[in-house]
Amino acid sequence: AIILLDVVLGYGAHANPAGVLAPAIEEARAAAGGKGAPAFVAQICGTDADPQDMDRQAEILRAAGVDVSFSNAEAVALVRAAFENIKG
């Protein structure tokens, strides 16, 4: 399985979306027991001026083992690469 996440930053968005997602991602991997654990790709939609600190959000997600992108095109490329790795 591959799960693609859109992480939206800015006013009106969660103050720390990656901080909420990271434990859920780790829980999903643990529940899968390593075998068939989902791959996660996140596309962060935001700017350096957003209050959530875009770089910090990316760091949190990467620490949780998520492939992070900053554009839809890059996210699709990461999903494709993850699919190829799963497919073998």
Side-chain angles (χ1 to χ4, degrees), residues 39-54:
F40 288 87
V41 175
Q43 188 271 325
I44 298 178
C45 179
T47 71
D48 292 331
D50 287 323
Q52 293 87 351
D53 188 348
M54 186 170 64

Side-chain angles (χ1 to χ4, degrees), residues 14-51:
H14 192 281
N16 184 13
V20 173
L21 289 169
I25 290 165
E26 292 166 0
E27 186 178 319
R29 286 206 175 108
K35 186 170 183 155
F40 288 87
V41 175
Q43 188 271 325
I44 298 178
C45 179
T47 71
D48 292 331
D50 287 323

Side-chain angles (χ1 to χ4, degrees), residues 6-10 13-23 52 57 60-61:
D6 286 320
V7 179
V8 179
L9 307 181
H14 192 281
N16 184 13
V20 173
L21 289 169
Q52 293 87 351
Q57 295 297 303
I60 292 168
L61 292 169

Side-chain angles (χ1 to χ4, degrees), residues 2 77-88:
I2 302 170
L78 290 171
V79 167
R80 182 178 178 159
F83 179 73
E84 292 299 323
N85 285 337
I86 291 169
K87 215 169 77 165

